[in-house]
Amino acid sequence: MNEVVTNTEHDLSQKLLIIFDWDGTLMDSIGLIVKAMHVAAEAHGFSTTDEAVKSIIGLSLMRGIELLYPQASAEQHLAIQQSYADYYIHASTLPNQPHSEFFEGIEAMFKQLLAQGKKLAVATGKKRAGLDRVMDYANSRHYFVSSRCANESGSKPSPQMLLDILQETGYAVADAVFIGDSIHDIQMANALGMTSIAVNYGAASAQVLAAEHPTYQVSTPSQLIELLTAG
């Protein structure tokens, strides 16, 4: 899908609070996530496919591991989680490895949205320690007025993260838009009737995302930037 799918009932120029997913939406980290999961699983005698790993991105890490390896014990789930975290942190500093960087133009978009008087927030399946680490790595913490993580508000598609952000910032559902790259993101927004933007360049395909009926759908970071900053 190469065109922006729009809905005239949801005017983005009127949205005051822009809430983003992190991995695959703002940051080009899908390759690192997939690699880390393969390394972690294989260390404990399990295997999976790239597509299966992508399908659980957006969930809390433990929930994703439970879905990927239902045959594993609780102790093995914990061991895979620890191996994943160890590899992810270590690989982030290595050359010739998939890394986590903002997609092109994203940081400039933050600045433009702030100049327009918008408030920015993050709702992510990461744990707080992981989000804090990548925010510090990208020197981006100052862009956001609020953030919620899976270990604070529960895993997507529960809308609790969005509810917490709305309560903290004082905005209503109608004032906000949520942007994400997974079906869990769009399901979370839909649970509240919140305007949503699905991005096709992250974890899930355009067809899979379209089936969740996002309000808008874009194929590239540049389309997202144009959509959010227009007007």
Side-chain angles (χ1 to χ4, degrees):
M1 182 178 296
N2 295 318
E3 296 181 356
V4 178
V5 178
T6 62
N7 184 325
T8 56
E9 295 179 359
H10 298 256
D11 184 356
L12 289 179
S13 68
Q14 302 302 309
K15 302 300 181 183
L16 303 174
L17 178 64
I18 317 298
I19 310 174
F20 298 95
D21 170 57
W22 192 270
D23 292 307
T25 300
L26 297 177
M27 191 157 272
D28 188 7
S29 50
I30 301 302
L32 178 55
I33 291 170
V34 170
K35 176 69 172 178
M37 186 59 74
H38 283 312
V39 169
E42 289 167 8
H44 300 282
F46 297 94
S47 64
T48 189
T49 65
D50 289 359
E51 290 307 310
V53 176
K54 289 179 182 179
S55 75
I56 58 89
I57 291 174
L59 300 174
S60 67
L61 178 57
M62 181 53 75
R63 179 58 181 150
I65 290 170
E66 290 169 349
L67 290 173
L68 287 174
Y69 314 108
Q71 71 275 34
S73 66
E75 291 77 13
Q76 288 171 319
H77 287 154
L78 286 170
I80 293 170
Q81 178 180 242
Q82 186 60 56
S83 294
Y84 174 96
D86 290 345
Y87 181 85
Y88 191 102
I89 294 169
H90 179 62
S92 296
T93 66
L94 294 177
N96 303 316
Q97 293 287 335
H99 284 74
S100 298
E101 304 286 350
F102 284 130
F103 289 104
E104 184 176 356
I106 290 294
E107 193 161 11
M109 177 191 72
F110 294 157
K111 295 174 182 178
Q112 188 171 352
L113 289 171
L114 292 176
Q116 293 175 354
K118 310 292 188 180
K119 302 297 184 183
L120 310 182
V122 171
T124 176
K126 287 182 174 297
K127 290 185 177 181
R128 171 55 60 185
L131 181 62
D132 285 348
R133 185 178 62 252
V134 295
M135 278 187 168
D136 289 342
Y137 169 79
N139 192 28
S140 59
R141 191 188 294 265
H142 60 286
Y143 293 121
F144 304 102
V145 297
S146 180
S147 61
R148 284 297 184 278
C149 299
N151 62 319
E152 298 165 336
S153 301
S155 181
K156 302 171 185 178
S158 165
Q160 191 60 50
M161 279 190 272
L162 298 180
L163 289 170
D164 289 350
I165 289 170
L166 292 174
Q167 181 176 22
E168 181 177 358
T169 59
Y171 289 106
V173 169
D175 299 322
V177 56
F178 181 66
I179 302 99
D181 69 311
S182 77
I183 63 170
H184 315 295
D185 292 321
I186 306 308
Q187 289 169 357
M188 179 170 70
N190 286 346
L192 295 182
M194 183 179 287
T195 299
S196 62
I197 304 174
V199 302
N200 303 338
Y201 53 80
S205 69
Q207 182 178 8
V208 167
L209 288 167
E212 300 300 326
H213 306 292
T215 316
Y216 297 81
Q217 194 162 356
V218 299
S219 295
T220 64
S222 62
Q223 283 187 350
L224 174 66
I225 293 164
E226 181 180 359
L227 182 61
L228 285 176
T229 59

